[in-house]
Amino acid sequence: MMSKIFYIMIISAIPLIEQRGAIPVGIFTGCDPLLVFLVSYIGSLIPVPFIFYMFNWIMETLRKRNWLPWLINIVDNKINKNVGKFEKYKEAALITFIGIPLPTTGVWTGTAIATFLNLDFKKTMFCAMLGALISAVVITGVCVLLPELARSLF
């Protein structure tokens, strides 16, 4: 059981998968939904400090070496598409962006956007925590209350 919980935590920390993958995997493999909720929530927040402090350096390194151009395009497109909304509404937009469990939204991209907007670490962490909580509640709720819908979505 511990290895399964650890696995759920790791999945929730992976970019583009995050809680959208971890929570359904945990619940649909028979783990307690509350435990899955907590573990995936915590796991999704583990990368925030690393992304916050290293995002710009990593992106510049990837660009210079032309590594993972598809990932650079995804991140650049997502940031450029939403930057106007974020500059106007900042924290509320960031919480909403992280909290809506859609592809390419979530803690990773939200934290990257926060660094792009020069939000400080405390605001970024607060937005990530609140947004991830909203996302975890939505995904867990759908998986528990509407499992057939969840299987088709996630």
Side-chain angles (χ1 to χ4, degrees), residues 47-64:
V48 172
F50 301 102
I51 300 164
F52 183 83
Y53 289 110
M54 298 182 70
F55 174 74
N56 291 326
W57 177 80
I58 290 169
M59 290 301 288
E60 287 308 311
T61 301
L62 291 175
R63 282 187 184 97
K64 284 180 188 173

Side-chain angles (χ1 to χ4, degrees), residues 7-24:
Y7 181 67
I8 292 164
M9 184 177 280
I10 296 299
I11 293 172
S12 67
I14 296 173
L16 303 175
I17 299 173
E18 300 182 38
Q19 295 174 349
R20 288 179 303 278
I23 292 172

Side-chain angles (χ1 to χ4, degrees), residues 103-154:
T104 71
T105 65
V107 173
W108 276 80
T109 310
T111 305
I113 291 169
T115 63
F116 183 78
L117 296 174
N118 295 316
L119 290 182
D120 67 35
F121 180 72
K122 286 181 184 179
K123 284 184 182 177
T124 300
M125 194 68 202
F126 173 77
C127 293
M129 290 172 70
L130 193 51
L133 181 65
I134 292 166
S135 177
V137 166
V138 169
I139 296 167
T140 303
V142 170
C143 289
V144 170
L145 300 173
L146 304 165
E148 292 308 313
L149 176 63
R151 289 180 203 279
S152 69
L153 292 175
F154 306 113

Side-chain angles (χ1 to χ4, degrees), residues 2 7 23 29 31 37 49 54 57 59 68 71-72 77 94 96 109 112 116 136:
M2 280 306 284
Y7 181 67
I23 292 172
T29 58
C31 295
F37 171 88
M54 298 182 70
W57 177 80
M59 290 301 288
L68 304 174
L71 179 61
I72 293 169
N77 289 339
L94 190 57
T96 303
T109 310
F116 183 78

